[in-house]
Amino acid sequence: MNKVLIPVDGSSNALLALKHAVKIYGKDAHTEIHICNVQPKIYRHISKFFSKGDINSWQAERAKETARTAAEYLEKSGVSFSFTHVTGDKGEALNNEAIRLGCSRIIIGSAKKNTLSRLFENSTTAKLLEISDIPVEVVTGKSISTLERWGIPAIGAGAATALVAAVID
């Protein structure tokens, strides 16, 4: 059985990955599609004011709402699927969920970004490529804006230059 995990976060890139997966694997009876949303961990100093049950139900509600468009697309396409949500660091949580489900592939949608942008933004795609033993298929969406393409590397280069100058002095 071919099991495919697709992270969904409500973004156009996630929907693009989902459409790709349906086009390639959707009609194959031997393929199971799992969509997964990752909710952030609630900081300890905030979570002490709420019960664990309230936090879990709030996160489950947010995850279902975020995955609603993806679920509707799969239903309209006639593709059966399952939905889960997990909590934690996106890359690690998705990798752990793919292992738990026994997935043979992860398909993730990603914007076209340079390496420095991915480094500074803590990219889920970069993290999955780094830690996953499961094949990760990256479906690229639209390019990032000019500011993101040039601004983030320029800021990083400026910070590195300032750091080197401070160390030399």
Side-chain angles (χ1 to χ4, degrees):
M1 182 63 73
N2 184 27
K3 295 182 181 181
V4 179
L5 179 75
I6 306 166
V8 292
D9 60 4
S11 70
S12 59
N13 289 325
L15 191 56
L16 189 65
L18 188 66
K19 288 178 180 180
H20 171 77
V22 168
K23 181 179 172 185
I24 302 298
Y25 305 105
K27 305 302 178 197
D28 184 0
H30 299 291
T31 299
E32 291 179 11
I33 293 182
H34 302 275
I35 58 174
C36 181
N37 177 260
V38 181
Q39 291 292 307
K41 281 190 108 169
I42 304 297
Y43 293 109
R44 188 171 22 124
H45 65 279
I46 295 172
S47 66
K48 67 182 176 183
F49 296 107
F50 301 97
S51 72
K52 188 165 180 69
D54 286 343
I55 292 170
N56 289 342
S57 65
W58 178 73
Q59 287 178 325
E61 185 179 315
R62 281 188 55 189
K64 285 178 188 172
E65 182 59 32
T66 302
R68 184 173 46 85
T69 304
E72 288 172 356
Y73 177 79
L74 288 167
E75 288 170 356
K76 286 179 186 175
S77 299
V79 176
S80 63
F81 67 96
S82 64
F83 168 70
T84 58
H85 76 278
V86 291
T87 304
D89 172 75
K90 287 182 182 180
E92 290 176 10
L94 289 168
N95 186 52
N96 292 340
E97 186 67 359
I99 292 168
R100 186 186 74 78
L101 293 170
C103 291
S104 55
R105 170 179 317 276
I106 301 170
I107 301 177
I108 188 167
S110 181
K112 296 175 185 171
K113 298 179 182 179
N114 60 40
T115 306
L116 284 175
S117 294
R118 292 196 187 284
L119 176 68
F120 287 119
E121 292 179 1
N122 191 20
S123 167
T124 302
T125 304
K127 181 74 170 189
L128 274 173
L129 291 170
E130 177 186 335
I131 66 171
S132 183
D133 291 332
I134 298 169
V136 178
E137 188 173 334
V138 180
V139 179
T140 57
K142 61 183 179 178
S143 295
I144 59 174
S145 69
T146 304
L147 176 63
E148 289 176 302
R149 182 178 296 125
W150 297 106
I152 292 174
I155 290 169
T161 303
L163 182 63
V164 169
V167 170
I168 292 174
D169 286 338

